[in-house]
């Protein structure tokens, strides 16, 4: 039976739609013209200029610092949440817990931003890097918890029992058996948390206060104030970083992906 | 999960270990998600203080301000833009999700990767890329004028069309993935059977395939529609004053007027707008089957 070619043509159109804007942006970053549009020759001047913008590097440093702290805290909180949901999933407490973990995923960012801002202001907490970390952990926990929970569902807990039968204490069994087997899932979850934290603009913008600047906030103000060629160059660097990250994460999940390919 | 509990949890004390494992995330989310969300409903009835804080005492100033007809118009526009973006996303995502699921395994992994990469790419950069393209001096405008499809004075940027286009661009990967996930599990022999029984291709698609991937369609609609309702960056960067959405108004009340209670009042309107489709889907799903926990985000 002949299959319709329409969906495959449509997929091609969608992929062009996805990548053409990104491609244009990358090409423009090497355009020596100040205003874009017309090609004035290949140049690395905008990349060079980037290195003389201390404000960008300061905000990049803040972003990295925040992302590292957020990744560790949300990994700890999200993993314990996943373990609780997996092992006690049927209790009433875990149903409430699951709702609490799941809901932040479906709440628009701006609502989380404004409610956290109002809570911080009402409680007299001064805004800055600290409040950004608190906000980021809050939305990263859910992603970490659900990613780890997905891995736990493939996990054979009989192995833990075997370790216990062989004389391991509960803590030893957790540390020497459970955690190593969960490691790829934890790495994937950590990567998601890190990426979300690095990329977040809306919530950060609300809870940052006037002093603290992260890279997305810097990029946003550059877009607003029209520093176009510089953003092209900065975006290209960030895109290269993203592609690298995706390759690493594909590598981390590679064994799983291969198993999922059915034999032809 | 088997009902018989392994010994290691029994010994620790089931209740105690559950409490210890649940407490950290539960307390954090209660303190930084649940309480702040509920607090918005309380603080909206506080007066604004002139320094951008929240004053003491109670007032209905926010309610009175919300009665301003401009907010009704903006709420209506927010709904309309979100619906249009969701519909366009679905039009593109359904054939794409289907095609990715039906591609040969090798090709499928490549296609999946190509769909996922924009998913990981900075949101601001993707919006900015379109701002460059739609710019009066940009690539698309020049091409359209050259082809005689656009007037040299027409603006592609700062209007509702640009907001819908860029919203579709940024949310499309999120719509494709759940549809792909459902289409991958679909049994395509059902379509062959329908065709054998005389259904035309489109009929088989509409009456057999679409109901078969319903769960994926519902998820895709929700993951586009709900964040679209809360859009702020896209209308702010590629829209004009005539294409402002609720999110823009919330941000203006916070950053321009420094009136936090009114911003809270507007967010309550947004919360109600988000809850309506969510509760509708939950009610429908409760009828169908009990949801199972877990899965990749």
């Amino acid at each position: 039976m002949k299959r319709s070619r329409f969906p495959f043509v449509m997929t091609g159109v969608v992929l062009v739609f996805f990548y053409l804007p990104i491609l244009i942006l990358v090409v423009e970053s090497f355009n020596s013209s100040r205003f874009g549009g017309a090609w004035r020759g290949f140049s690395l001047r905008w990349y060079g200029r980037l290195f003389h913008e201390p404000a960008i590097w300061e905000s990049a440093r803040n972003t990295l610092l925040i992302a590292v702290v957020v990744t560790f805290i949300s990994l700890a909180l999200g993993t314990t949440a996943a373990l609780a949901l997996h092992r006690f999933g049927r209790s009433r407490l875990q149903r409430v817990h699951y709702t609490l973990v799941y809901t932040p995923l479906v709440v628009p960012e701006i609502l989380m931003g404004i409610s956290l801002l109002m809570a911080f202001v009402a409680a007299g907490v001064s805004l800055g890097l600290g409040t950004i970390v608190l906000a980021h952990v809050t939305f990263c926990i859910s992603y970490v918890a659900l990613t780890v929970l997905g891995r736990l569902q493939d996990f054979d807990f009989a192995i833990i029992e075997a370790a216990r039968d062989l004389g391991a204490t509960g803590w030893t069994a957790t540390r020497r058996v459970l955690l190593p087997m969960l490691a790829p899932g934890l790495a994937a979850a950590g990567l998601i948390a890190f990426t979300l934290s690095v990329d977040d603009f809306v919530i950060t913008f609300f809870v940052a206060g006037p002093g603290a600047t992260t890279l997305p906030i810097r990029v946003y103000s550059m877009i607003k104030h029209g520093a176009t060629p510089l953003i092209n160059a900065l975006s290209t660097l960030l895109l290269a970083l993203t592609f690298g990250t995706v390759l690493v994460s594909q590598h981390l999940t590679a064994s799983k992906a291969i198993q999922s390919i059915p034999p032809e | 999960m088997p009902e018989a509990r392994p010994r290691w949890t029994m010994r620790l004390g089931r209740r105690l270990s559950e409490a210890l494992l649940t407490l950290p995330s539960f307390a954090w989310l209660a303190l930084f998600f649940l309480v702040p969300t509920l607090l918005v409903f309380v603080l909206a009835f506080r007066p604004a203080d002139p320094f951008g804080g929240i004053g003491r005492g109670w007032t209905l100033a926010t309610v009175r301000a919300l009665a301003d007809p401009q907010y009704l118009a903006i709420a209506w526009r927010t709904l309309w833009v979100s619906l249009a973006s969701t519909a366009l996303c679905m039009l593109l995502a359904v054939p794409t999700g289907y095609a990715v699921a039906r591609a040969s395994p090798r090709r499928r992994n490549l296609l999946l990767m190509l769909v996922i990469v924009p998913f990981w790419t900075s949101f601001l950069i993707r919006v900015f890329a379109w701002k460059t393209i739609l710019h009066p001096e940009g690539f698309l405008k020049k091409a359209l004028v050259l082809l005689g499809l656009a007037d040299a004075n027409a603006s592609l940027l700062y209007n509702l069309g640009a907001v819908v286009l860029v919203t579709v661009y940024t949310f499309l990967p999120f719509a494709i993935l759940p549809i792909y996930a459902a289409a991958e599990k679909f049994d395509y022999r059902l379509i062959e059977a329908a065709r054998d029984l005389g259904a035309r291709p489109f009929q088989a698609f509409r009456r057999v395939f679409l109901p078969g991937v319903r769960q994926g369609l519902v998820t895709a609609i929700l993951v586009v529609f709900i964040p679209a309702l809360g859009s702020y960056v896209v209308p702010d960067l590629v829209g004009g004053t005539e294409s402002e959405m609720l999110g823009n108004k919330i941000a203006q009340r916070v950053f321009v007027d420094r009136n936090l209670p009114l911003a809270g009042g507007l967010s309550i309107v947004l919360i109600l707008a988000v809850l309506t489709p969510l509760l509708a889907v939950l009610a429908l799903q409760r009828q169908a089957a009990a949801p199972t926990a877990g899965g990749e985000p």
Side-chain angles (χ1 to χ4, degrees):
Chain A
M1 189 171 58
K2 191 174 164 290
R3 269 195 224 158
S4 166
R5 292 242 298 280
F6 172 76
F8 296 91
V9 174
M10 202 65 158
T11 305
V13 172
V14 163
L15 289 179
V16 171
F17 179 56
F18 275 164
Y19 287 95
L20 191 63
I22 293 175
L23 188 70
I24 291 174
L25 188 131
V26 171
V27 171
E28 280 289 340
S29 78
F30 297 106
N31 185 353
S32 104
S33 160
R34 174 176 281 276
F35 301 105
W39 182 257
R40 293 268 161 76
F42 179 87
S43 154
L44 289 174
R45 64 187 282 208
W46 305 117
Y47 290 89
R49 191 72 70 78
L50 222 45
F51 289 94
H52 301 290
E53 293 279 336
I56 291 178
W57 299 102
E58 198 205 313
S59 60
R61 210 193 53 210
N62 283 344
T63 298
L64 275 181
L65 184 70
I66 292 167
V68 169
V69 175
V70 165
T71 304
F72 280 104
I73 301 178
S74 56
L75 262 181
L77 293 174
T79 306
T80 51
L83 287 169
L85 287 169
H86 184 70
R87 295 208 63 80
F88 309 102
R90 291 182 179 185
S91 74
R92 180 173 293 178
L93 175 64
Q94 294 311 319
R95 281 197 199 149
V96 179
H97 189 205
Y98 183 73
T99 310
L100 201 53
V101 168
Y102 191 83
T103 318
L105 296 175
V106 293
V107 169
E109 285 194 290
I110 194 162
L111 285 179
M112 200 184 259
I114 182 80
S115 59
L116 275 170
L117 171 67
M118 290 179 81
F120 288 143
V121 169
V125 179
S126 61
L127 303 175
L129 296 185
T131 47
I132 298 177
V133 168
L134 293 177
H136 283 199
V137 170
T138 307
F139 65 75
C140 285
I141 289 176
S142 309
Y143 287 95
V144 171
L146 293 183
T147 307
V148 176
L149 187 59
R151 294 304 168 106
L152 281 174
Q153 278 159 352
D154 305 334
F155 186 79
D156 184 3
F157 273 85
I159 297 170
I160 300 279
E161 283 176 62
R164 299 283 286 130
D165 285 342
L166 293 171
T169 61
W171 169 239
T172 308
T174 305
R175 194 168 53 89
R176 302 278 300 270
V177 182
L178 181 65
L179 286 181
M181 292 193 70
L182 265 186
L186 293 180
L191 205 57
I192 291 174
F194 188 85
T195 313
L196 287 171
S197 170
V198 165
D199 192 33
D200 182 74
F201 167 69
V202 176
I203 296 173
T204 313
F205 195 49
F206 274 85
V207 301
T213 306
T214 65
L215 198 55
I217 292 182
R218 175 65 52 195
V219 169
Y220 176 80
S221 79
M222 284 164 76
I223 295 176
K224 274 279 184 186
H225 300 113
T228 304
L230 274 183
I231 317 171
N232 287 336
L234 184 58
S235 303
T236 304
L237 289 181
L238 292 174
L239 285 169
L241 212 61
T242 310
F243 283 38
T245 313
V246 172
L247 283 178
V248 169
S249 76
Q250 287 294 108
H251 189 71
L252 283 176
T253 54
S255 54
K256 223 185 159 192
I258 289 165
Q259 283 162 13
S260 73
I261 300 174
E264 275 183 280
Chain B
M1 209 164 72
E3 267 308 293
R5 296 293 170 188
R7 247 177 23 207
W8 68 293
T9 49
M10 293 277 285
R11 209 175 290 163
L12 239 170
R14 206 178 133 72
R15 294 237 154 192
L16 181 66
S17 66
E18 178 176 7
L20 283 176
L21 281 176
T22 310
L23 187 69
S25 52
F26 200 102
W28 186 289
L29 290 172
L31 189 60
F32 293 111
F33 175 67
L34 192 62
V35 170
T37 306
L38 297 176
L39 209 57
V40 172
F41 287 85
V42 177
L43 296 177
F45 296 97
R46 293 280 195 189
D49 96 10
F51 309 105
I54 297 163
R56 297 187 168 278
W58 303 98
T59 170
L60 287 174
T62 295
V63 180
R64 277 195 292 275
L66 284 178
D68 185 331
Q70 68 150 329
Y71 290 125
L72 185 67
I74 282 169
W76 180 247
R77 183 189 298 142
T78 303
L79 189 67
W80 188 88
V81 167
S82 308
L83 281 174
S85 308
T86 309
L88 281 170
C89 267
M90 294 306 284
L91 275 179
L92 295 168
V94 170
T96 307
Y98 170 87
V100 176
R102 300 231 68 184
S104 66
R106 187 169 291 274
R107 240 226 214 140
R108 184 200 303 167
N109 275 6
L110 177 68
L111 286 173
L112 211 50
M113 175 98 161
L114 287 172
V115 172
I116 289 172
V117 167
F119 192 87
W120 287 79
T121 310
S122 160
F123 176 73
L124 278 175
I125 290 176
R126 284 184 290 151
V127 177
F128 173 70
W130 273 102
K131 196 175 159 115
T132 317
I133 293 175
L134 297 173
H135 193 267
E137 301 291 316
F139 165 82
L140 192 64
K141 171 77 179 294
K142 283 186 174 167
L144 288 177
V145 171
L146 216 65
L147 292 168
L149 289 173
D151 189 72
N153 297 318
S155 177
L156 300 176
L157 210 50
Y158 310 124
N159 56 46
L160 268 181
V163 174
V164 172
L165 174 75
V166 178
T167 304
V168 169
Y169 181 73
T170 48
F171 290 137
L172 190 52
F174 298 87
I176 293 174
L177 293 175
I179 291 175
Y180 157 74
E184 198 214 358
K185 295 193 193 89
F186 184 76
D187 183 355
Y188 290 91
R189 286 173 304 181
L190 291 173
I191 289 194
E192 286 170 38
R195 293 294 306 277
D196 287 344
L197 292 170
R200 278 171 283 127
F202 183 70
Q203 240 179 339
F205 168 78
R206 197 173 63 86
R207 306 274 299 268
V208 180
F209 178 72
L210 284 188
V213 297
R214 193 178 49 216
Q215 189 59 51
L217 298 178
V218 169
T219 309
I221 289 174
L222 285 183
V223 297
V224 177
F225 185 64
I226 289 178
L229 285 172
S231 280
Y232 156 57
V233 173
V234 173
D236 187 56
L237 291 180
V238 304
T241 45
E242 293 306 306
S243 33
E244 282 176 335
M245 295 169 69
L246 272 175
N248 299 79
K249 286 296 161 194
I250 293 175
Q252 283 169 16
R253 296 297 86 90
V254 172
F255 299 111
V256 183
D257 316 344
R258 305 185 58 69
N259 185 340
L260 281 183
L262 183 51
L266 285 165
S267 353
I268 293 173
V269 176
L270 186 52
I271 290 173
L272 298 179
V274 167
L275 277 179
T276 316
L278 212 58
L279 292 179
V281 166
L282 278 179
L284 285 174
Q285 274 181 344
R286 193 147 294 176
Q287 284 176 351
T292 49
E296 308 274 334

